[in-house]
Amino acid sequence: MQLSIIGSGHVGLVTGACFAEKGHDVLCTDSDAEKIEGLKQGTMPFHEPGLEAMVRRNAEDGRLRFSDSVAEAVTLGQAVFISVWTPPLPSGRADLSYVEKVSREIAENLPENEHRLVVEKSTVPVRTGERVLRTIERFAPKGRDYDVASNPEFLREGTAIRDTMEPDRIVIGADSEKARALLERIYKGFPGERVFCDVRSAEMIKHASNAFLASKISFINAVARVCEKSGADIELVARGMGLDPRIAPSFLKAGIGYGGSCFPKDVSAFIDIARELGYEFRLLEEVQRINREMRFHFVDRVEKELWNLRDKPVAVLGLAFKPDTDDMRLAPSVTIIEELLKRGAHVRAFDPVTIPRAREAMQDLQPQESLAFCNTVEDACKGAEAVLLVTEWPEIVGADWKKLRTLVASPTLFDGRNALDRAELQAAGWTVNGVGTGQ
Ligand code: UGA
């Protein structure tokens, strides 16, 4: 089938590439002409393992093309997926102005005598589908034939290709038989359980899923705090809990809290949606509070261990919000480094992929002269009074810790992701402080 994607960000580009991989003809569009030019030359706008090869393969085979024209997307695509950015407004509410703008452009370009399926792929508040439909009704020339459906995306950055090619479920929110049948056809080659529902329920599934996963992380982080006070070990506690299939082991990893472009934004938006509909979702407000606190608590522990941080070199390893991505959006590293600088430390930061983006994200932190970006783990650790593992990149977890021990001023390690083998590091002479664990 001929499919169009409007918005070639993480979700749009990966979805488009995977549709092409499954044999569809796909046109990926974006309003950023420079990004589209880059994609035509094979330059990816972000780091995602496996994406570049998949894009190149499908572009060479002619199944994947790029354009900056919404008109072209609507003229060509039997189904048009909207995957534009829905950033948070200062109130936490999702900014739907891009979705609105695109809906209007779609309406104005709907072809005569052909049906078009408009699919919401972006994470949007419940009832956005109705607004998209109303916008299209208002701006479409008379007699055009279209449907609006919701098909939320559950991919994670870093594993986006696998998540999309092998989804555990495909949610098809459609209010007409025609829309449902079209989406079923589009996903024919994909595995995964199908969840057929109305548009509103599909929209809600996405927000509720992300809010639930964020709650799971905050829950385990709260338990970690109690573990620290009681001497229990969160890693053993999480394992013991996760073996119960009703709880399940994933997203029970204690650490410095969740970041990224999805959970923080979607939890805020969900609180706002609920409030708008007359329900105060206080549970989620607490989830946010616990999450925010984890970063400060981490720095408090470093400060307590070092007595004070003034003029002390501290290595921060890993800056992206998680491994295998260069995404710095709401990365815990920013708050942690900001706090370390405020307390007087000299920060030496390393990340294997995202240093350019990290520089940009941290350009306003003060004092800038106390912040240095290093090209290797070794360089970051040289002379450090404490080493903080913030993002569990394999390059960092698998570093030569015996050698690093010889480079630091003091072998004091804070593992913000409980990613390191504590016994092995202790044997190599490190003092290891995990989250929710003692020495
Ligand atoms: C998240 C969801 O997992 C996806 O299903 C969803 O499609 C996506 O948001 C989205 O809405 O677009 P993502 O933000 O890419 O995906 O990354 P995750 O792997 O979910 O990690 C989010 C954050 O939680 C990271 O900072 C990670 O370090 C943290 N995390 C995750 C933990 O602290 N503990 C865990 O056990 C799991």
Side-chain angles (χ1 to χ4, degrees):
M1 253 170 101
Q2 180 73 53
L3 307 175
S4 292
I5 310 280
I6 299 181
S8 297
H10 228 108
V11 169
L13 185 57
V14 171
T15 305
C18 291
F19 279 154
E21 185 80 4
K22 290 285 184 187
H24 293 299
D25 290 306
V26 183
L27 180 74
C28 280
T29 70
D30 201 285
S31 57
D32 182 345
E34 210 176 303
K35 186 196 273 185
I36 291 298
E37 244 348 275
L39 281 165
K40 284 181 182 169
Q41 311 298 325
T43 308
M44 296 303 108
F46 49 81
H47 176 82
E48 180 62 46
L51 181 63
E52 189 172 345
M54 185 181 268
V55 166
R56 190 175 321 116
R57 189 164 59 243
N58 285 284
E60 278 167 13
D61 291 350
R63 281 190 304 273
L64 182 59
R65 292 192 311 107
F66 301 99
S67 163
D68 60 6
S69 161
V70 171
E72 192 181 355
V74 184
T75 309
L76 284 178
Q78 281 174 268
V80 181
F81 289 80
I82 303 179
S83 52
V84 294
W85 179 222
T86 53
L89 292 165
S91 65
R93 178 172 299 190
D95 178 357
L96 296 175
S97 56
Y98 301 99
V99 177
E100 187 193 5
K101 182 171 170 283
V102 163
S103 307
R104 181 176 175 160
E105 283 182 280
I106 291 174
E108 289 166 347
N109 289 287
L110 284 168
E112 274 181 86
N113 306 321
E114 280 182 51
H115 175 263
R116 287 293 176 263
L117 176 64
V118 179
V119 189
E120 289 173 347
K121 198 68 170 150
S122 307
T123 302
V124 288
V126 63
R127 291 183 153 178
T128 301
E130 286 149 54
R131 296 216 173 123
V132 170
L133 191 62
R134 255 190 279 139
T135 306
I136 298 180
E137 278 165 3
R138 193 170 327 132
F139 293 104
K142 280 224 154 26
R144 297 297 191 263
D145 185 16
Y146 51 86
D147 277 290
V148 173
S150 167
N151 168 227
E153 183 50 60
F154 301 101
L155 63 81
R156 287 162 297 174
E157 292 186 23
T159 52
I161 300 284
R162 197 185 61 223
D163 292 343
T164 310
M165 294 299 278
E166 296 161 34
D168 30 46
R169 84 280 211 201
I170 293 171
V171 173
I172 294 181
D175 295 333
S176 80
E177 198 39 55
K178 195 171 188 173
R180 171 188 157 134
L182 264 169
L183 274 165
E184 260 192 287
R185 257 181 68 202
I186 292 168
Y187 280 105
K188 199 160 176 285
F190 289 82
E193 185 114 358
R194 270 56 173 165
V195 180
F196 296 106
C197 58
D198 55 283
V199 171
R200 287 183 194 179
S201 301
E203 292 166 334
M204 185 70 90
I205 286 170
K206 172 69 195 202
H207 260 127
S209 299
N210 273 5
F212 184 78
L213 291 172
S215 307
K216 228 180 149 183
I217 297 170
S218 277
F219 183 87
I220 203 68
N221 281 336
V223 177
R225 298 289 298 274
V226 185
C227 283
E228 279 169 19
K229 290 182 186 293
S230 63
D233 182 332
I234 193 63
E235 289 298 297
L236 301 173
V237 173
R239 180 169 144 72
M241 288 168 64
L243 287 171
D244 181 335
R246 292 169 304 173
I247 298 174
S250 62
F251 284 72
L252 272 192
K253 189 88 192 144
I256 46 181
Y258 59 80
S261 64
C262 303
F263 286 171
K265 154 176 96 65
D266 292 349
V267 171
S268 300
F270 202 34
I271 292 171
D272 180 77
I273 294 162
R275 183 171 299 134
E276 184 94 325
L277 294 167
Y279 179 71
E280 289 297 328
F281 214 143
R282 296 217 172 81
L283 174 67
L284 291 182
E285 288 172 17
E286 194 56 19
V287 165
Q288 285 184 314
R289 194 192 59 76
I290 294 167
N291 193 57
R292 243 188 330 264
E293 226 177 62
M294 290 313 287
R295 295 147 167 74
F296 296 100
H297 173 64
F298 188 59
V299 179
D300 287 346
R301 290 186 65 202
V302 180
E303 188 170 39
K304 199 166 162 210
E305 183 72 25
L306 268 61
W307 195 7
N308 73 67
L309 289 170
R310 187 142 304 279
D311 292 331
K312 295 198 174 151
V314 171
V316 174
L317 306 182
L319 304 172
F321 86 95
K322 61 182 253 183
D324 281 324
T325 178
D326 56 356
D327 201 337
M328 283 299 298
R329 285 176 286 180
L330 298 178
S333 65
V334 181
T335 320
I336 288 170
I337 290 180
E338 180 176 26
E339 211 43 40
L340 288 167
L341 292 173
K342 266 190 203 157
R343 300 184 197 191
H346 294 286
V347 175
R348 299 180 62 76
F350 165 78
D351 189 281
V353 167
T354 199
I355 287 195
R357 289 194 176 189
R359 275 188 201 283
E360 211 180 304
M362 298 186 198
Q363 63 189 352
D364 293 330
L365 302 191
Q366 291 305 329
Q368 271 292 308
E369 56 277 17
S370 295
L371 173 58
F373 292 94
C374 305
N375 290 324
T376 61
V377 177
E378 287 78 13
D379 194 18
C381 289
K382 245 176 238 160
E385 298 264 351
V387 176
L388 279 49
L389 186 150
V390 167
T391 312
E392 68 280 32
W393 285 94
E395 302 67 348
I396 295 172
V397 175
D400 184 346
W401 289 95
K402 274 193 188 137
K403 183 175 166 206
L404 294 177
R405 163 77 183 83
T406 64
L407 300 176
V408 293
S410 162
T412 309
L413 188 57
F414 292 84
D415 182 357
R417 301 291 187 173
N418 290 346
L420 297 164
D421 185 328
R422 230 183 309 159
E424 207 175 280
L425 266 96
Q426 279 165 348
W430 288 90
T431 303
V432 188
N433 304 277
V435 173
T437 62
Q439 244 271 50

